Short mmCIF file of all heavy atoms in Angstrom, two decimals:
data_model
loop_
_atom_site.label_atom_id
_atom_site.label_comp_id
_atom_site.label_asym_id
_atom_site.label_seq_id
_atom_site.Cartn_x
_atom_site.Cartn_y
_atom_site.Cartn_z
N GLY A 11 -0.33 130.70 68.61
CA GLY A 11 0.12 131.96 69.20
C GLY A 11 -0.78 133.09 68.75
O GLY A 11 -1.95 132.89 68.42
N GLY A 12 -0.24 134.30 68.71
CA GLY A 12 -1.05 135.45 68.35
C GLY A 12 -1.94 135.90 69.49
O GLY A 12 -1.60 135.75 70.67
N TRP A 13 -3.11 136.42 69.14
CA TRP A 13 -4.03 136.98 70.13
C TRP A 13 -4.49 135.91 71.12
O TRP A 13 -5.02 134.87 70.73
CB TRP A 13 -5.23 137.59 69.42
CG TRP A 13 -6.19 138.28 70.33
CD1 TRP A 13 -5.92 139.29 71.21
CD2 TRP A 13 -7.60 138.01 70.44
NE1 TRP A 13 -7.07 139.66 71.87
CE2 TRP A 13 -8.11 138.90 71.42
CE3 TRP A 13 -8.46 137.12 69.81
CZ2 TRP A 13 -9.46 138.91 71.78
CZ3 TRP A 13 -9.80 137.13 70.16
CH2 TRP A 13 -10.29 138.01 71.14
N GLU A 14 -4.28 136.19 72.41
CA GLU A 14 -4.61 135.20 73.43
C GLU A 14 -6.11 135.02 73.63
O GLU A 14 -6.55 134.03 74.23
CB GLU A 14 -3.96 135.59 74.76
CG GLU A 14 -2.45 135.40 74.77
CD GLU A 14 -2.04 133.94 74.62
OE1 GLU A 14 -2.77 133.07 75.10
OE2 GLU A 14 -0.99 133.69 74.01
N GLY A 15 -6.92 135.96 73.14
CA GLY A 15 -8.36 135.84 73.30
C GLY A 15 -8.96 134.61 72.66
O GLY A 15 -10.05 134.16 73.04
N HIS A 16 -8.27 134.03 71.69
CA HIS A 16 -8.74 132.80 71.05
C HIS A 16 -8.12 131.55 71.67
O HIS A 16 -8.26 130.45 71.12
CB HIS A 16 -8.47 132.83 69.55
CG HIS A 16 -9.47 133.64 68.78
ND1 HIS A 16 -9.21 134.18 67.54
CD2 HIS A 16 -10.75 134.02 69.09
CE1 HIS A 16 -10.27 134.84 67.11
NE2 HIS A 16 -11.22 134.75 68.03
N ALA A 17 -7.45 131.72 72.81
CA ALA A 17 -6.94 130.59 73.60
C ALA A 17 -6.18 129.57 72.75
O ALA A 17 -6.55 128.39 72.69
CB ALA A 17 -8.09 129.91 74.36
N PRO A 18 -5.13 130.01 72.07
CA PRO A 18 -4.45 129.08 71.14
C PRO A 18 -3.88 127.83 71.79
O PRO A 18 -3.88 126.77 71.16
CB PRO A 18 -3.35 129.95 70.52
CG PRO A 18 -3.15 131.09 71.47
CD PRO A 18 -4.49 131.34 72.08
N VAL A 19 -3.41 127.95 73.03
CA VAL A 19 -2.86 126.76 73.68
C VAL A 19 -3.98 125.80 74.07
O VAL A 19 -3.96 124.60 73.74
CB VAL A 19 -2.03 127.14 74.92
CG1 VAL A 19 -1.61 125.90 75.69
CG2 VAL A 19 -0.79 127.95 74.51
N GLU A 20 -4.98 126.31 74.76
CA GLU A 20 -6.05 125.46 75.26
C GLU A 20 -6.83 124.79 74.11
O GLU A 20 -7.17 123.60 74.20
CB GLU A 20 -7.02 126.25 76.13
CG GLU A 20 -6.41 126.75 77.43
CD GLU A 20 -5.64 128.06 77.28
OE1 GLU A 20 -5.44 128.52 76.12
OE2 GLU A 20 -5.23 128.62 78.32
N THR A 21 -7.10 125.54 73.05
CA THR A 21 -7.90 124.96 71.97
C THR A 21 -7.12 123.93 71.17
O THR A 21 -7.67 122.88 70.79
CB THR A 21 -8.44 126.05 71.03
OG1 THR A 21 -7.36 126.84 70.53
CG2 THR A 21 -9.43 126.95 71.74
N THR A 22 -5.86 124.17 70.94
CA THR A 22 -5.08 123.16 70.20
C THR A 22 -4.85 121.91 71.04
O THR A 22 -4.86 120.79 70.51
CB THR A 22 -3.75 123.73 69.70
OG1 THR A 22 -3.03 124.32 70.79
CG2 THR A 22 -3.96 124.77 68.62
N GLU A 23 -4.68 122.09 72.35
CA GLU A 23 -4.53 120.92 73.21
C GLU A 23 -5.77 120.04 73.19
O GLU A 23 -5.69 118.82 73.38
CB GLU A 23 -4.21 121.35 74.64
CG GLU A 23 -2.81 121.90 74.83
CD GLU A 23 -1.73 120.87 74.57
OE1 GLU A 23 -1.89 119.70 75.00
OE2 GLU A 23 -0.73 121.22 73.92
N LEU A 24 -6.92 120.64 72.94
CA LEU A 24 -8.17 119.89 72.90
C LEU A 24 -8.15 118.81 71.82
O LEU A 24 -8.81 117.77 71.97
CB LEU A 24 -9.33 120.86 72.66
CG LEU A 24 -10.75 120.31 72.73
CD1 LEU A 24 -11.09 119.81 74.13
CD2 LEU A 24 -11.75 121.39 72.30
N PHE A 25 -7.37 119.04 70.76
CA PHE A 25 -7.37 118.10 69.64
C PHE A 25 -6.14 117.20 69.60
O PHE A 25 -6.02 116.35 68.71
CB PHE A 25 -7.52 118.86 68.32
CG PHE A 25 -8.88 119.50 68.20
CD1 PHE A 25 -9.06 120.84 68.47
CD2 PHE A 25 -9.98 118.73 67.87
CE1 PHE A 25 -10.31 121.42 68.39
CE2 PHE A 25 -11.24 119.29 67.78
CZ PHE A 25 -11.41 120.65 68.04
N ARG A 26 -5.25 117.33 70.56
CA ARG A 26 -4.08 116.45 70.57
C ARG A 26 -4.46 114.99 70.74
O ARG A 26 -3.87 114.11 70.08
CB ARG A 26 -3.08 116.88 71.65
CG ARG A 26 -2.31 118.11 71.27
CD ARG A 26 -1.17 118.42 72.19
NE ARG A 26 -0.06 117.47 72.05
CZ ARG A 26 1.14 117.67 72.56
NH1 ARG A 26 1.39 118.76 73.27
NH2 ARG A 26 2.10 116.79 72.40
N PRO A 27 -5.45 114.65 71.59
CA PRO A 27 -5.82 113.22 71.68
C PRO A 27 -6.30 112.64 70.36
O PRO A 27 -5.95 111.50 70.02
CB PRO A 27 -6.93 113.22 72.74
CG PRO A 27 -6.64 114.43 73.58
CD PRO A 27 -6.15 115.46 72.62
N ALA A 28 -7.09 113.40 69.61
CA ALA A 28 -7.58 112.90 68.32
C ALA A 28 -6.43 112.69 67.35
O ALA A 28 -6.40 111.70 66.60
CB ALA A 28 -8.60 113.87 67.73
N LEU A 29 -5.46 113.60 67.36
CA LEU A 29 -4.30 113.43 66.49
C LEU A 29 -3.48 112.20 66.90
O LEU A 29 -3.03 111.42 66.07
CB LEU A 29 -3.43 114.68 66.52
CG LEU A 29 -4.05 115.94 65.88
CD1 LEU A 29 -3.18 117.16 66.16
CD2 LEU A 29 -4.23 115.74 64.38
N ALA A 30 -3.30 112.02 68.21
CA ALA A 30 -2.55 110.87 68.69
C ALA A 30 -3.26 109.57 68.33
O ALA A 30 -2.63 108.60 67.90
CB ALA A 30 -2.35 110.97 70.20
N ASP A 31 -4.58 109.56 68.51
CA ASP A 31 -5.35 108.36 68.18
C ASP A 31 -5.25 108.02 66.69
O ASP A 31 -5.38 106.84 66.31
CB ASP A 31 -6.82 108.54 68.57
CG ASP A 31 -7.04 108.52 70.08
OD1 ASP A 31 -6.12 108.11 70.81
OD2 ASP A 31 -8.13 108.94 70.51
N ALA A 32 -5.08 109.05 65.86
CA ALA A 32 -4.97 108.84 64.41
C ALA A 32 -3.55 108.51 63.98
O ALA A 32 -3.28 108.37 62.78
CB ALA A 32 -5.47 110.07 63.67
N GLY A 33 -2.64 108.41 64.95
CA GLY A 33 -1.29 107.97 64.65
C GLY A 33 -0.30 109.07 64.33
O GLY A 33 0.75 108.81 63.72
N PHE A 34 -0.58 110.29 64.78
CA PHE A 34 0.33 111.40 64.52
C PHE A 34 1.31 111.60 65.68
O PHE A 34 0.92 111.54 66.85
CB PHE A 34 -0.44 112.72 64.36
CG PHE A 34 -1.17 112.85 63.06
CD1 PHE A 34 -2.48 112.41 62.93
CD2 PHE A 34 -0.56 113.44 61.96
CE1 PHE A 34 -3.16 112.54 61.73
CE2 PHE A 34 -1.23 113.57 60.76
CZ PHE A 34 -2.54 113.12 60.64
N ASP A 35 2.56 111.85 65.35
CA ASP A 35 3.50 112.45 66.28
C ASP A 35 3.32 113.97 66.17
O ASP A 35 3.33 114.51 65.06
CB ASP A 35 4.95 112.09 65.93
CG ASP A 35 5.28 110.65 66.29
OD1 ASP A 35 4.58 110.08 67.15
OD2 ASP A 35 6.24 110.11 65.72
N VAL A 36 3.16 114.64 67.30
CA VAL A 36 2.83 116.06 67.30
C VAL A 36 4.01 116.89 67.78
O VAL A 36 4.57 116.63 68.85
CB VAL A 36 1.59 116.34 68.18
CG1 VAL A 36 1.27 117.84 68.20
CG2 VAL A 36 0.39 115.54 67.67
N THR A 37 4.34 117.92 67.00
CA THR A 37 5.33 118.91 67.38
C THR A 37 4.63 120.24 67.56
O THR A 37 3.75 120.60 66.78
CB THR A 37 6.41 119.05 66.28
OG1 THR A 37 7.08 117.80 66.12
CG2 THR A 37 7.43 120.12 66.64
N ILE A 38 5.01 120.96 68.61
CA ILE A 38 4.41 122.27 68.90
C ILE A 38 5.40 123.36 68.55
O ILE A 38 6.59 123.29 68.90
CB ILE A 38 4.03 122.39 70.39
CG1 ILE A 38 3.06 121.27 70.79
CG2 ILE A 38 3.44 123.76 70.68
CD1 ILE A 38 1.71 121.33 70.13
N ALA A 39 4.92 124.41 67.87
CA ALA A 39 5.74 125.59 67.58
C ALA A 39 4.95 126.82 68.01
O ALA A 39 3.77 126.96 67.68
CB ALA A 39 6.08 125.66 66.10
N GLU A 40 5.63 127.72 68.72
CA GLU A 40 5.00 128.97 69.15
C GLU A 40 5.78 130.17 68.62
O GLU A 40 5.81 131.23 69.23
CB GLU A 40 4.88 128.98 70.68
CG GLU A 40 3.96 127.85 71.16
CD GLU A 40 3.77 127.80 72.66
OE1 GLU A 40 4.61 128.35 73.39
OE2 GLU A 40 2.78 127.18 73.11
N ASP A 41 6.37 129.97 67.45
CA ASP A 41 7.14 131.00 66.76
C ASP A 41 6.93 130.79 65.27
O ASP A 41 7.12 129.67 64.76
CB ASP A 41 8.62 130.87 67.13
CG ASP A 41 9.47 132.00 66.58
OD1 ASP A 41 9.16 132.51 65.48
OD2 ASP A 41 10.47 132.37 67.24
N LEU A 42 6.54 131.84 64.55
CA LEU A 42 6.26 131.70 63.13
C LEU A 42 7.50 131.41 62.29
O LEU A 42 7.38 131.05 61.12
CB LEU A 42 5.56 132.98 62.62
CG LEU A 42 4.17 133.23 63.19
CD1 LEU A 42 3.65 134.60 62.75
CD2 LEU A 42 3.19 132.13 62.76
N ASP A 43 8.67 131.55 62.88
CA ASP A 43 9.89 131.21 62.13
C ASP A 43 9.96 129.73 61.80
O ASP A 43 10.79 129.33 60.97
CB ASP A 43 11.13 131.64 62.92
CG ASP A 43 11.79 132.87 62.31
OD1 ASP A 43 11.29 133.37 61.27
OD2 ASP A 43 12.80 133.33 62.85
N VAL A 44 9.10 128.93 62.41
CA VAL A 44 9.06 127.51 62.05
C VAL A 44 8.74 127.34 60.57
O VAL A 44 9.15 126.35 59.94
CB VAL A 44 8.04 126.74 62.93
CG1 VAL A 44 6.61 127.09 62.55
CG2 VAL A 44 8.27 125.24 62.84
N TYR A 45 8.05 128.32 59.98
CA TYR A 45 7.70 128.24 58.57
C TYR A 45 8.91 128.47 57.65
O TYR A 45 8.78 128.34 56.43
CB TYR A 45 6.60 129.24 58.23
CG TYR A 45 5.24 128.88 58.81
CD1 TYR A 45 4.34 129.86 59.20
CD2 TYR A 45 4.85 127.55 58.93
CE1 TYR A 45 3.09 129.54 59.70
CE2 TYR A 45 3.60 127.21 59.44
CZ TYR A 45 2.73 128.21 59.82
OH TYR A 45 1.48 127.88 60.32
N ARG A 46 10.06 128.79 58.22
CA ARG A 46 11.28 128.91 57.44
C ARG A 46 12.10 127.62 57.43
O ARG A 46 13.11 127.53 56.74
CB ARG A 46 12.14 130.06 57.99
CG ARG A 46 11.48 131.41 57.93
CD ARG A 46 12.36 132.50 58.52
NE ARG A 46 13.61 132.63 57.80
CZ ARG A 46 14.58 133.49 58.14
NH1 ARG A 46 14.41 134.29 59.18
NH2 ARG A 46 15.70 133.54 57.44
N ASP A 47 11.65 126.63 58.21
CA ASP A 47 12.40 125.38 58.35
C ASP A 47 11.96 124.40 57.25
O ASP A 47 11.03 123.61 57.42
CB ASP A 47 12.16 124.78 59.74
CG ASP A 47 13.06 123.61 60.06
OD1 ASP A 47 13.53 122.94 59.12
OD2 ASP A 47 13.30 123.36 61.26
N GLU A 48 12.65 124.44 56.12
CA GLU A 48 12.25 123.64 54.97
C GLU A 48 12.31 122.15 55.26
O GLU A 48 11.46 121.37 54.80
CB GLU A 48 13.14 123.97 53.77
CG GLU A 48 12.99 125.38 53.25
CD GLU A 48 13.89 125.65 52.07
OE1 GLU A 48 14.46 124.67 51.52
OE2 GLU A 48 14.04 126.82 51.69
N VAL A 49 13.31 121.72 56.02
CA VAL A 49 13.46 120.30 56.32
C VAL A 49 12.29 119.80 57.18
O VAL A 49 11.69 118.76 56.90
CB VAL A 49 14.81 120.03 57.01
CG1 VAL A 49 14.90 118.57 57.45
CG2 VAL A 49 15.97 120.39 56.08
N LEU A 50 11.97 120.55 58.22
CA LEU A 50 10.85 120.17 59.09
C LEU A 50 9.54 120.13 58.31
O LEU A 50 8.76 119.18 58.43
CB LEU A 50 10.74 121.13 60.27
CG LEU A 50 9.53 120.94 61.19
CD1 LEU A 50 9.56 119.57 61.85
CD2 LEU A 50 9.46 122.04 62.24
N LEU A 51 9.27 121.17 57.53
CA LEU A 51 8.00 121.24 56.81
C LEU A 51 7.89 120.13 55.77
O LEU A 51 6.80 119.57 55.57
CB LEU A 51 7.85 122.61 56.14
CG LEU A 51 7.73 123.81 57.08
CD1 LEU A 51 7.49 125.09 56.27
CD2 LEU A 51 6.64 123.63 58.12
N ALA A 52 8.99 119.79 55.13
CA ALA A 52 8.94 118.71 54.14
C ALA A 52 8.60 117.37 54.77
O ALA A 52 8.02 116.49 54.11
CB ALA A 52 10.28 118.62 53.41
N ALA A 53 8.95 117.22 56.04
CA ALA A 53 8.67 115.96 56.76
C ALA A 53 7.34 116.01 57.50
O ALA A 53 6.99 115.06 58.20
CB ALA A 53 9.79 115.67 57.75
N THR A 54 6.60 117.09 57.36
CA THR A 54 5.34 117.29 58.09
C THR A 54 4.17 116.96 57.20
O THR A 54 4.08 117.44 56.06
CB THR A 54 5.24 118.75 58.58
OG1 THR A 54 6.29 119.00 59.53
CG2 THR A 54 3.90 119.02 59.25
N ASP A 55 3.25 116.15 57.71
CA ASP A 55 2.07 115.76 56.94
C ASP A 55 0.90 116.71 57.15
O ASP A 55 0.03 116.82 56.28
CB ASP A 55 1.64 114.35 57.35
CG ASP A 55 2.72 113.32 57.05
OD1 ASP A 55 3.03 113.13 55.86
OD2 ASP A 55 3.28 112.75 58.01
N LEU A 56 0.88 117.39 58.30
CA LEU A 56 -0.25 118.26 58.63
C LEU A 56 0.23 119.42 59.48
O LEU A 56 0.94 119.22 60.47
CB LEU A 56 -1.31 117.47 59.42
CG LEU A 56 -2.45 118.28 60.05
CD1 LEU A 56 -3.32 118.91 58.97
CD2 LEU A 56 -3.28 117.42 60.99
N ILE A 57 -0.17 120.64 59.09
CA ILE A 57 0.02 121.82 59.92
C ILE A 57 -1.34 122.21 60.48
O ILE A 57 -2.30 122.44 59.72
CB ILE A 57 0.61 122.99 59.12
CG1 ILE A 57 2.01 122.65 58.60
CG2 ILE A 57 0.66 124.26 59.98
CD1 ILE A 57 2.54 123.64 57.58
N VAL A 58 -1.45 122.29 61.79
CA VAL A 58 -2.64 122.83 62.45
C VAL A 58 -2.25 124.22 62.93
O VAL A 58 -1.41 124.37 63.82
CB VAL A 58 -3.09 121.95 63.64
CG1 VAL A 58 -4.30 122.57 64.33
CG2 VAL A 58 -3.39 120.54 63.17
N GLN A 59 -2.86 125.24 62.34
CA GLN A 59 -2.50 126.61 62.67
C GLN A 59 -3.59 127.28 63.50
O GLN A 59 -4.76 127.31 63.10
CB GLN A 59 -2.26 127.43 61.40
CG GLN A 59 -1.88 128.88 61.71
CD GLN A 59 -1.65 129.67 60.45
OE1 GLN A 59 -0.62 129.52 59.79
NE2 GLN A 59 -2.60 130.53 60.11
N CYS A 60 -3.21 127.82 64.64
CA CYS A 60 -4.11 128.61 65.49
C CYS A 60 -3.35 129.86 65.90
O CYS A 60 -2.75 129.92 66.97
CB CYS A 60 -4.55 127.79 66.70
SG CYS A 60 -5.81 128.61 67.71
N TRP A 61 -3.36 130.86 65.01
CA TRP A 61 -2.57 132.07 65.21
C TRP A 61 -3.38 133.27 64.70
O TRP A 61 -3.45 133.51 63.49
CB TRP A 61 -1.24 131.98 64.47
CG TRP A 61 -0.24 133.01 64.91
CD1 TRP A 61 -0.33 134.37 64.75
CD2 TRP A 61 0.97 132.75 65.62
NE1 TRP A 61 0.77 134.98 65.30
CE2 TRP A 61 1.58 134.01 65.84
CE3 TRP A 61 1.61 131.59 66.07
CZ2 TRP A 61 2.80 134.13 66.51
CZ3 TRP A 61 2.81 131.71 66.73
CH2 TRP A 61 3.40 132.97 66.94
N THR A 62 -4.00 133.99 65.60
CA THR A 62 -4.84 135.12 65.23
C THR A 62 -4.03 136.40 65.24
O THR A 62 -3.36 136.71 66.22
CB THR A 62 -6.03 135.26 66.19
OG1 THR A 62 -6.78 134.04 66.20
CG2 THR A 62 -6.94 136.41 65.77
N GLY A 63 -4.13 137.18 64.15
CA GLY A 63 -3.42 138.45 64.06
C GLY A 63 -1.95 138.26 63.72
O GLY A 63 -1.47 137.15 63.50
N GLY A 64 -1.25 139.37 63.65
CA GLY A 64 0.17 139.31 63.37
C GLY A 64 0.47 139.35 61.88
O GLY A 64 -0.40 139.52 61.04
N GLU A 65 1.74 139.17 61.57
CA GLU A 65 2.21 139.23 60.20
C GLU A 65 3.21 138.11 59.94
O GLU A 65 3.94 137.70 60.84
CB GLU A 65 2.90 140.57 59.91
CG GLU A 65 2.00 141.78 60.05
CD GLU A 65 2.74 143.08 59.79
OE1 GLU A 65 3.98 143.04 59.63
OE2 GLU A 65 2.07 144.13 59.74
N LEU A 66 3.21 137.65 58.71
CA LEU A 66 4.25 136.74 58.25
C LEU A 66 5.31 137.54 57.51
O LEU A 66 4.99 138.44 56.73
CB LEU A 66 3.66 135.70 57.29
CG LEU A 66 2.75 134.62 57.85
CD1 LEU A 66 2.14 133.82 56.70
CD2 LEU A 66 3.50 133.70 58.79
N THR A 67 6.57 137.21 57.72
CA THR A 67 7.61 137.78 56.88
C THR A 67 7.52 137.12 55.51
O THR A 67 6.85 136.09 55.33
CB THR A 67 9.00 137.53 57.47
OG1 THR A 67 9.27 136.11 57.43
CG2 THR A 67 9.10 138.03 58.91
N ASP A 68 8.19 137.70 54.55
CA ASP A 68 8.18 137.12 53.20
C ASP A 68 8.68 135.69 53.21
O ASP A 68 8.12 134.81 52.54
CB ASP A 68 9.03 137.97 52.26
CG ASP A 68 8.41 139.33 51.95
OD1 ASP A 68 7.21 139.50 52.24
OD2 ASP A 68 9.13 140.20 51.43
N LYS A 69 9.74 135.43 53.97
CA LYS A 69 10.31 134.08 54.00
C LYS A 69 9.40 133.10 54.73
O LYS A 69 9.28 131.94 54.32
CB LYS A 69 11.69 134.11 54.63
CG LYS A 69 12.75 134.77 53.75
CD LYS A 69 14.13 134.69 54.38
CE LYS A 69 15.18 135.29 53.46
NZ LYS A 69 16.54 135.23 54.04
N GLN A 70 8.75 133.55 55.81
CA GLN A 70 7.81 132.68 56.52
C GLN A 70 6.64 132.31 55.62
O GLN A 70 6.24 131.14 55.53
CB GLN A 70 7.32 133.36 57.78
CG GLN A 70 8.37 133.51 58.87
CD GLN A 70 7.94 134.48 59.95
OE1 GLN A 70 6.91 135.17 59.84
NE2 GLN A 70 8.71 134.54 61.02
N SER A 71 6.08 133.31 54.95
CA SER A 71 4.95 133.08 54.06
C SER A 71 5.32 132.14 52.93
O SER A 71 4.60 131.18 52.61
CB SER A 71 4.45 134.42 53.49
OG SER A 71 3.40 134.21 52.57
#
Side-chain angles (χ1 to χ4, degrees):
W13 184 55
E14 289 295 328
H16 281 158
V19 173
E20 293 84 352
T21 55
T22 53
E23 288 296 318
L24 186 64
F25 292 100
R26 285 190 71 167
L29 292 172
D31 288 346
F34 286 90
D35 286 339
V36 178
T37 299
I38 302 294
E40 297 181 339
D41 187 326
L42 294 173
D43 254 359
V44 72
Y45 289 148
R46 299 178 61 182
D47 189 335
E48 295 180 12
V49 174
L50 174 62
L51 295 184
T54 296
D55 299 295
L56 170 66
I57 297 169
V58 178
Q59 180 180 285
C60 186
W61 195 293
T62 303
E65 298 179 352
L66 289 173
T67 67
D68 290 346
K69 289 184 178 180
Q70 290 166 352
S71 177

